[in-house]
Amino acid sequence: VQLVESGGGLVHSGGSLRLSCEVSGNYYRLNAMNWYRQAPGKERELVASVSSGGTTTYVDSVKGRFTIFRDGNAVHLQMNSLKPEDTAVYYCNAEFTIAIIEGVQSMEEWGKGTTVTVSS
């Protein structure tokens, strides 16, 4: 399973960007899909998550500004009203199951990351 992200870039404060992540490969079921970010000198944090049923969760700092949604085997993160503190490398993460002889096995995979820079 591979994840390929796109959509990062440089934007002024108050601007918008949409990140996209497409999942390819062999899996039995695609479960939660998530966006994480890691700012320079900080730990990676979970920004937003969407379950297979469409339930979404967000870290408090992005509520009302970011929207996560999935479309088939892709997940998108619409980011509005961007702030300099949103500057980070954003990583897509997918939780999925694969079929094995004994049944199914849970796994996860990460994308390589895409850089978002918000200038003040």
Side-chain angles (χ1 to χ4, degrees):
V1 172
Q2 292 185 324
L3 279 62
V4 178
E5 300 129 330
S6 61
L10 172 65
V11 65
H12 291 298
S13 181
S16 298
L17 283 174
R18 177 177 291 189
L19 306 183
S20 295
C21 172
E22 185 166 346
V23 181
S24 63
N26 295 316
Y27 52 86
Y28 177 73
R29 176 181 171 142
L30 196 55
N31 296 322
M33 300 177 78
N34 313 295
W35 284 99
Y36 286 75
R37 67 185 178 187
Q38 186 166 19
K42 295 188 177 181
E43 294 190 354
R44 190 174 296 190
E45 70 169 345
L46 177 61
V47 176
S49 179
V50 57
S51 71
S52 57
T55 300
T56 58
T57 58
Y58 300 90
V59 67
D60 285 347
S61 61
V62 308
K63 285 180 180 177
R65 300 189 297 120
F66 290 12
T67 302
I68 187 171
F69 59 99
R70 58 197 292 167
D71 176 16
N73 64 334
V75 62
H76 310 277
L77 186 67
Q78 178 65 42
M79 305 185 295
N80 299 328
S81 302
L82 282 161
K83 304 175 181 180
E85 51 264 44
D86 294 318
T87 294
V89 178
Y90 284 72
Y91 297 90
C92 178
N93 169 268
E95 301 172 20
F96 58 95
T97 56
I98 61 171
I100 58 176
I101 294 175
E102 296 81 5
V104 295
Q105 179 176 332
S106 296
M107 301 187 70
E108 69 172 348
E109 190 56 78
W110 293 84
K112 297 185 184 300
T114 185
T115 300
V116 171
T117 304
V118 184
S119 63
S120 57

